[in-house]
């Protein structure tokens, strides 16, 4: 057996800890507060729970392989054709389809430094070279930097928008001057995992550029605003030629029966969706205000999390909160060693977090 040389140093993605892991590792029996994985704090939609119960007795059957009802529902939402929708086991899987279909060893991809870690991970697996472009001084994607680093080997550019872990977004002027300068042969991946939480006016969404004929794919997920992280469901929307090839590199039943039915159910649950968004927008404002009052730098975020610079207190706060069963995300792996990323919780959870931070600071 000979392992591919470029896979030898591959390490697994560092995920946020789950509730069970924390209970096991720290022996905490009481409440656990998860501010570490940007999940939906509301729990699943009641419509999802209902539909999953209905389909429990059908798990001996394969799901319907075309997933046409879900493709149609998403096509209707975005005003595209169902053939333009590519479904994945999480949007991560759609990302992988892009590598499978387009990347040959030695090709280059451009990403921000830092950005969502899976871009790099897939590049390593598929033998692509990664060029990392540092964020600009506002902690936004440095778009001129991307343009300067394009070579004839560049195949893909990834922009997580809002950006993970800062939550920053780009305005129309920034988008337009960038996208108009991109060579046609490069595919731009606009990763809108947190797109639903943008509340600023005048921030363009990727769908607009797709409809104008640019070579883009928009990635969206059911893991955040739709509360289905545990079921794994995401999708891409793109131009027909690419959608066709991405759909052809997937396994026949990549979306499981529950994810398929739950996706359809939650798209119908407007009340749940609106409540999810409201909780994030209000919680984001509350946490930003409270942490700013405590003297910490909170970076403006348009996502369901905030990045906070706690300076030299970061490590102590992280460790002490962890011991109390309050999980937040350290950002050393992203190069922000004094910052922590906090996912927005329910109002009462956010208050508990602030209370605990105050106690630690005073203790
Ligand atoms: C920027 C970004 N893109 C994609 C994903 C993956 O989402 P999914 O759960 O759909 O695979 C995440 C998950 O946290 C993310 O932060």
């Amino acid at each position: 057996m000979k392992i591919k040389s470029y896979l030898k140093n591959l390490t697994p993605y560092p995920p946020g800890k789950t509730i069970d892991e924390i209970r096991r590792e720290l022996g905490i029996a009481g409440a656990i507060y998860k501010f570490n994985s940007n999940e939906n704090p509301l729990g699943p939609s009641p419509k999802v729970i209902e539909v999953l119960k209905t389909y429990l007795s059908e798990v001996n059957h394969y799901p319907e392989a075309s997933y046409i009802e879900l493709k149609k529902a998403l096509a209707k939402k975005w005003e595209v054709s169902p053939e333009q929708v590519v479904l994945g086991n999480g949007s991560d899987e759609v990302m992988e389809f892009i590598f499978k279909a387009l990347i040959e060893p030695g090709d280059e991809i451009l990403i921000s430094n830092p950005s969502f870690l899976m871009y790099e991970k897939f590049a390593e697996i598929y033998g692509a070279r990664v060029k990392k472009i540092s964020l600009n001084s506002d902690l936004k994607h440095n778009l001129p930097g991307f343009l300067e680093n394009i070579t004839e080997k560049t195949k893909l550019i990834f922009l997580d928008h809002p950006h993970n872990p800062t939550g920053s977004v780009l305005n129309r002027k920034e988008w337009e001057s960038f996208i108009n300068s991109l060579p046609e042969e490069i595919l731009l991946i606009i990763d809108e995992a947190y797109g639903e939480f943008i509340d600023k006016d005048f921030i363009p969404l990727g769908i607009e550029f797709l409809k104008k004929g640019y070579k883009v794919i928009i990635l969206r997920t059911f893991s955040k605003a739709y509360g289905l992280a545990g079921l794994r469901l995401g999708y891409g929307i793109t131009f027909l030629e690419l959608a066709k090839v991405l759909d052809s590199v997937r396994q026949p039943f990549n979306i499981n029966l529950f994810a398929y039915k739950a996706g359809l159910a939650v798209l119908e649950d407007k009340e749940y969706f609106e409540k999810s968004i409201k909780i994030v927008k209000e919680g984001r404002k509350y946490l930003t205000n409270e942490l700013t009052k405590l003297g910490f730098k909170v970076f403006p975020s348009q996502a369901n999390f905030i990045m906070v610079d706690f300076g030299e207190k970061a490590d102590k706060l992280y460790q002490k909160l962890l011991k109390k069963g309050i999980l937040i995300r350290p950002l050393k792996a992203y190069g922000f060693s004094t910052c922590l990323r906090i996912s927005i919780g329910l109002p009462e959870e956010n208050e508990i977090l602030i209370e605990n931070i105050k106690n630690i600071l005073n203790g």
Side-chain angles (χ1 to χ4, degrees), residues 321-350:
L321 287 169
L322 189 61
K323 290 215 173 80
K324 289 179 176 290
I326 300 176
L327 315 186
I328 52 182
R329 189 67 160 252
L331 293 177
K332 279 198 189 90
Y334 289 83
F336 294 115
S337 54
T338 60
C339 295
L340 299 171
R341 194 189 67 192
I342 301 173
S343 307
I344 311 301
L346 295 173
E348 55 275 24
E349 294 172 330
N350 298 334

Short mmCIF file of all heavy atoms in Angstrom, two decimals, residues 321-350:
data_model
loop_
_atom_site.label_atom_id
_atom_site.label_comp_id
_atom_site.label_asym_id
_atom_site.label_seq_id
_atom_site.Cartn_x
_atom_site.Cartn_y
_atom_site.Cartn_z
N LEU A 321 -15.08 29.35 31.21
CA LEU A 321 -16.45 29.14 30.72
C LEU A 321 -16.66 27.66 30.42
O LEU A 321 -17.72 27.09 30.72
CB LEU A 321 -16.69 29.98 29.45
CG LEU A 321 -16.85 31.50 29.68
CD1 LEU A 321 -16.82 32.26 28.36
CD2 LEU A 321 -18.16 31.80 30.42
N LEU A 322 -15.65 27.04 29.85
CA LEU A 322 -15.73 25.61 29.52
C LEU A 322 -16.04 24.79 30.77
O LEU A 322 -16.90 23.90 30.76
CB LEU A 322 -14.40 25.17 28.90
CG LEU A 322 -14.32 23.78 28.29
CD1 LEU A 322 -15.31 23.65 27.14
CD2 LEU A 322 -12.91 23.48 27.77
N LYS A 323 -15.37 25.11 31.84
CA LYS A 323 -15.58 24.36 33.10
C LYS A 323 -17.02 24.52 33.61
O LYS A 323 -17.53 23.68 34.33
CB LYS A 323 -14.61 24.86 34.18
CG LYS A 323 -13.18 24.46 33.88
CD LYS A 323 -12.39 24.14 35.15
CE LYS A 323 -11.03 23.58 34.79
NZ LYS A 323 -10.06 24.65 34.43
N LYS A 324 -17.66 25.62 33.20
CA LYS A 324 -19.05 25.84 33.63
C LYS A 324 -20.03 25.28 32.61
O LYS A 324 -21.23 25.51 32.70
CB LYS A 324 -19.30 27.33 33.79
CG LYS A 324 -18.59 27.91 35.00
CD LYS A 324 -18.86 29.40 35.10
CE LYS A 324 -18.25 29.97 36.36
NZ LYS A 324 -18.90 29.54 37.59
N GLY A 325 -19.49 24.60 31.60
CA GLY A 325 -20.38 24.00 30.59
C GLY A 325 -20.80 25.00 29.53
O GLY A 325 -21.80 24.81 28.83
N ILE A 326 -20.07 26.12 29.41
CA ILE A 326 -20.40 27.13 28.38
C ILE A 326 -19.32 27.06 27.30
O ILE A 326 -18.16 27.38 27.55
CB ILE A 326 -20.46 28.54 29.00
CG1 ILE A 326 -21.55 28.56 30.10
CG2 ILE A 326 -20.73 29.59 27.95
CD1 ILE A 326 -21.64 29.85 30.86
N LEU A 327 -19.73 26.63 26.13
CA LEU A 327 -18.75 26.38 25.07
C LEU A 327 -18.71 27.53 24.08
O LEU A 327 -19.73 27.89 23.50
CB LEU A 327 -19.11 25.12 24.27
CG LEU A 327 -19.53 23.86 25.02
CD1 LEU A 327 -19.69 22.71 24.04
CD2 LEU A 327 -18.48 23.52 26.03
N ILE A 328 -17.53 28.10 23.89
CA ILE A 328 -17.34 29.04 22.79
C ILE A 328 -16.14 28.56 21.98
O ILE A 328 -15.48 27.59 22.35
CB ILE A 328 -17.23 30.52 23.26
CG1 ILE A 328 -16.18 30.66 24.34
CG2 ILE A 328 -18.56 31.02 23.76
CD1 ILE A 328 -16.09 32.09 24.87
N ARG A 329 -15.86 29.22 20.87
CA ARG A 329 -14.86 28.66 19.95
C ARG A 329 -13.56 29.46 19.98
O ARG A 329 -13.57 30.65 19.64
CB ARG A 329 -15.46 28.70 18.53
CG ARG A 329 -14.67 27.98 17.48
CD ARG A 329 -14.67 26.46 17.70
NE ARG A 329 -14.32 25.83 16.46
CZ ARG A 329 -15.16 25.15 15.69
NH1 ARG A 329 -16.41 24.99 16.06
NH2 ARG A 329 -14.75 24.59 14.58
N PRO A 330 -12.46 28.83 20.40
CA PRO A 330 -11.19 29.52 20.31
C PRO A 330 -10.80 29.67 18.84
O PRO A 330 -11.18 28.83 18.02
CB PRO A 330 -10.21 28.58 21.03
CG PRO A 330 -10.91 27.30 21.26
CD PRO A 330 -12.33 27.43 20.83
N LEU A 331 -10.05 30.70 18.50
CA LEU A 331 -9.74 30.93 17.08
C LEU A 331 -8.24 30.86 16.78
O LEU A 331 -7.78 31.45 15.81
CB LEU A 331 -10.33 32.29 16.64
CG LEU A 331 -11.86 32.34 16.63
CD1 LEU A 331 -12.35 33.74 16.25
CD2 LEU A 331 -12.45 31.32 15.65
N LYS A 332 -7.52 30.11 17.58
CA LYS A 332 -6.08 29.95 17.31
C LYS A 332 -5.87 29.32 15.95
O LYS A 332 -5.00 29.75 15.18
CB LYS A 332 -5.44 29.06 18.38
CG LYS A 332 -5.12 29.82 19.64
CD LYS A 332 -4.09 29.07 20.51
CE LYS A 332 -3.98 29.74 21.86
NZ LYS A 332 -4.91 29.23 22.88
N ALA A 333 -6.69 28.31 15.62
CA ALA A 333 -6.53 27.62 14.34
C ALA A 333 -6.76 28.58 13.17
O ALA A 333 -6.33 28.31 12.04
CB ALA A 333 -7.51 26.46 14.25
N TYR A 334 -7.44 29.69 13.43
CA TYR A 334 -7.69 30.70 12.39
C TYR A 334 -6.69 31.85 12.44
O TYR A 334 -6.80 32.81 11.71
CB TYR A 334 -9.11 31.27 12.55
CG TYR A 334 -10.24 30.33 12.18
CD1 TYR A 334 -10.71 29.38 13.08
CD2 TYR A 334 -10.86 30.40 10.94
CE1 TYR A 334 -11.76 28.54 12.76
CE2 TYR A 334 -11.91 29.57 10.61
CZ TYR A 334 -12.36 28.64 11.52
OH TYR A 334 -13.40 27.81 11.20
N GLY A 335 -5.76 31.77 13.38
CA GLY A 335 -4.74 32.81 13.47
C GLY A 335 -5.13 34.00 14.34
O GLY A 335 -4.40 34.99 14.39
N PHE A 336 -6.28 33.93 15.00
CA PHE A 336 -6.67 35.03 15.90
C PHE A 336 -6.55 34.52 17.34
O PHE A 336 -7.55 34.11 17.95
CB PHE A 336 -8.12 35.46 15.63
CG PHE A 336 -8.36 36.09 14.29
CD1 PHE A 336 -9.16 35.47 13.35
CD2 PHE A 336 -7.81 37.33 13.98
CE1 PHE A 336 -9.40 36.05 12.11
CE2 PHE A 336 -8.05 37.92 12.74
CZ PHE A 336 -8.85 37.27 11.81
N SER A 337 -5.33 34.56 17.87
CA SER A 337 -5.12 33.86 19.15
C SER A 337 -5.76 34.57 20.34
O SER A 337 -6.01 33.94 21.36
CB SER A 337 -3.64 33.63 19.39
OG SER A 337 -2.99 34.86 19.29
N THR A 338 -6.07 35.86 20.22
CA THR A 338 -6.70 36.53 21.37
C THR A 338 -8.21 36.68 21.17
O THR A 338 -8.89 37.32 21.97
CB THR A 338 -6.09 37.93 21.61
OG1 THR A 338 -6.30 38.73 20.43
CG2 THR A 338 -4.60 37.86 21.91
N CYS A 339 -8.71 36.08 20.10
CA CYS A 339 -10.15 36.22 19.82
C CYS A 339 -10.90 34.92 20.09
O CYS A 339 -10.34 33.83 19.99
CB CYS A 339 -10.38 36.60 18.35
SG CYS A 339 -9.74 38.22 17.93
N LEU A 340 -12.17 35.06 20.41
CA LEU A 340 -13.05 33.90 20.55
C LEU A 340 -14.28 34.17 19.68
O LEU A 340 -14.70 35.31 19.51
CB LEU A 340 -13.48 33.75 22.02
CG LEU A 340 -12.33 33.51 23.02
CD1 LEU A 340 -12.86 33.60 24.46
CD2 LEU A 340 -11.66 32.16 22.79
N ARG A 341 -14.84 33.09 19.14
CA ARG A 341 -16.06 33.24 18.32
C ARG A 341 -17.25 32.73 19.12
O ARG A 341 -17.21 31.64 19.67
CB ARG A 341 -15.92 32.44 17.02
CG ARG A 341 -16.97 32.81 15.98
CD ARG A 341 -16.94 31.83 14.80
NE ARG A 341 -17.36 30.51 15.23
CZ ARG A 341 -17.21 29.40 14.50
NH1 ARG A 341 -16.66 29.45 13.32
NH2 ARG A 341 -17.62 28.24 14.96
N ILE A 342 -18.27 33.56 19.19
CA ILE A 342 -19.44 33.23 20.00
C ILE A 342 -20.66 33.12 19.09
O ILE A 342 -21.04 34.09 18.42
CB ILE A 342 -19.70 34.33 21.06
CG1 ILE A 342 -18.47 34.49 21.96
CG2 ILE A 342 -20.96 34.02 21.86
CD1 ILE A 342 -18.57 35.67 22.93
N SER A 343 -21.28 31.95 19.05
CA SER A 343 -22.51 31.80 18.28
C SER A 343 -23.65 32.42 19.08
O SER A 343 -23.66 32.33 20.31
CB SER A 343 -22.83 30.32 18.06
OG SER A 343 -21.72 29.65 17.51
N ILE A 344 -24.60 33.03 18.37
CA ILE A 344 -25.71 33.70 19.06
C ILE A 344 -26.66 32.64 19.61
O ILE A 344 -27.08 31.73 18.89
CB ILE A 344 -26.48 34.64 18.09
CG1 ILE A 344 -25.52 35.54 17.30
CG2 ILE A 344 -27.54 35.44 18.85
CD1 ILE A 344 -24.64 36.45 18.11
N GLY A 345 -27.01 32.78 20.89
CA GLY A 345 -27.94 31.83 21.51
C GLY A 345 -29.33 32.42 21.68
O GLY A 345 -29.64 33.49 21.14
N LEU A 346 -30.16 31.73 22.44
CA LEU A 346 -31.47 32.26 22.81
C LEU A 346 -31.25 33.45 23.75
O LEU A 346 -30.20 33.51 24.42
CB LEU A 346 -32.29 31.19 23.54
CG LEU A 346 -32.66 29.95 22.73
CD1 LEU A 346 -33.31 28.90 23.62
CD2 LEU A 346 -33.58 30.32 21.57
N PRO A 347 -32.22 34.38 23.86
CA PRO A 347 -31.99 35.56 24.71
C PRO A 347 -31.54 35.19 26.12
O PRO A 347 -30.58 35.77 26.65
CB PRO A 347 -33.36 36.25 24.73
CG PRO A 347 -34.04 35.79 23.49
CD PRO A 347 -33.51 34.43 23.16
N GLU A 348 -32.20 34.18 26.72
CA GLU A 348 -31.83 33.83 28.10
C GLU A 348 -30.43 33.22 28.16
O GLU A 348 -29.69 33.40 29.12
CB GLU A 348 -32.87 32.91 28.76
CG GLU A 348 -33.19 31.63 28.03
CD GLU A 348 -34.26 31.77 26.93
OE1 GLU A 348 -34.46 32.89 26.41
OE2 GLU A 348 -34.87 30.74 26.58
N GLU A 349 -30.04 32.51 27.12
CA GLU A 349 -28.69 31.92 27.08
C GLU A 349 -27.63 33.03 26.95
O GLU A 349 -26.58 32.98 27.59
CB GLU A 349 -28.56 30.95 25.91
CG GLU A 349 -29.44 29.72 26.05
CD GLU A 349 -29.44 28.86 24.79
OE1 GLU A 349 -29.28 29.40 23.66
OE2 GLU A 349 -29.65 27.65 24.92
N ASN A 350 -27.94 34.00 26.11
CA ASN A 350 -26.99 35.11 25.94
C ASN A 350 -26.77 35.85 27.26
O ASN A 350 -25.66 36.25 27.59
CB ASN A 350 -27.51 36.10 24.89
CG ASN A 350 -27.65 35.46 23.52
OD1 ASN A 350 -26.95 34.50 23.22
ND2 ASN A 350 -28.57 35.97 22.70
#
